[in-house]
Amino acid sequence: MHVALATTTDLEIMDQDDDVLGAALERAGASYAMAVWDDPWVDWSIFDVVVIRSTWDYTSRRDEYVAWATAVEDAGALLCNSAEVVRWNTHKGYLMELEDRGVPVVPTAWLGQGDQVDLAELRASRGWGDVVIKPAVSAGAFDTFLVRADDADGQASLDRLVADGDTLVQPFLV
């Protein structure tokens, strides 16, 4: 079995966790290689399995990333997780679906790209004090802000995020 550990250009050097995974794969009789997900020269059809490991740069190119996941599957490799899961999980809108199915989630104000929202009014209408503002497509807390109730700069952060894409506002929970 030949396994690809999908990563990003910035992280194509293995980290400590990848060393442990690589050693385990070799003990199981598999060969493996680090492969940059958006490298056009990678032939995904040579791999039996592609494991998504450290593809953190997808957030600025989600559509391209979802297309890549589909292409990996179309090439015949088993993608862990599937392209459908990648599509579903790379936009935090999946939280709405979970909530609709009865799964408890943090209360959320869902804002679409370009929405005009007064943060103070939103907080007041929901009874929220401190809030967390974050993009719907993000990883590793990138562009995530804790905005205290008395922070006048929070509106600017919200406006910038909403201008760029779908955004979530949630009460800060301790």
Side-chain angles (χ1 to χ4, degrees):
M1 177 179 294
H2 192 43
V3 178
L5 304 179
T7 189
T8 182
T9 302
D10 294 340
L11 298 173
E12 61 187 313
I13 297 172
M14 292 175 63
D15 68 19
Q16 195 172 37
D17 292 340
D18 292 329
D19 288 337
V20 172
L21 177 57
L25 287 168
E26 287 177 342
R27 280 193 306 277
S31 63
Y32 72 94
M34 299 299 290
V36 176
W37 76 268
D38 61 346
D39 182 343
W41 299 105
V42 174
D43 178 1
W44 298 102
S45 70
I46 68 169
F47 298 104
D48 301 299
V49 177
V50 176
V51 178
I52 297 173
R53 289 287 297 157
S54 50
T55 56
W56 300 118
D57 63 341
Y58 79 84
T59 59
S60 62
R61 300 177 291 152
R62 178 180 177 256
D63 292 343
E64 184 181 340
Y65 185 65
V66 171
W68 163 79
T70 301
V72 168
E73 289 183 339
D74 290 347
L78 171 64
L79 180 64
C80 303
N81 290 322
S82 71
E84 182 58 24
V85 169
V86 167
R87 183 207 53 75
W88 183 75
N89 187 251
T90 53
H91 186 288
K92 289 175 180 50
Y94 69 84
L95 294 171
M96 287 187 286
E97 185 178 328
L98 291 174
E99 185 175 40
D100 289 346
R101 291 180 178 201
V103 176
V105 299
V106 174
T108 304
W110 300 94
L111 308 177
Q113 183 174 10
D115 284 353
Q116 303 271 321
V117 175
D118 182 286
L119 183 57
E121 288 178 14
L122 173 65
R123 287 201 298 228
S125 71
R126 303 240 178 162
W128 297 345
D130 299 341
V131 295
V132 175
I133 302 170
K134 57 188 164 189
V137 178
S138 182
F142 179 75
D143 263 349
T144 297
F145 302 95
L146 170 59
V147 179
R148 299 289 181 190
D150 60 355
D151 183 355
D153 294 330
Q155 184 67 51
S157 297
L158 177 62
D159 292 344
R160 183 178 61 78
L161 289 180
V162 171
D164 288 343
D166 297 341
T167 302
L168 289 72
V169 180
Q170 300 171 314
F172 177 64
L173 303 177
V174 187

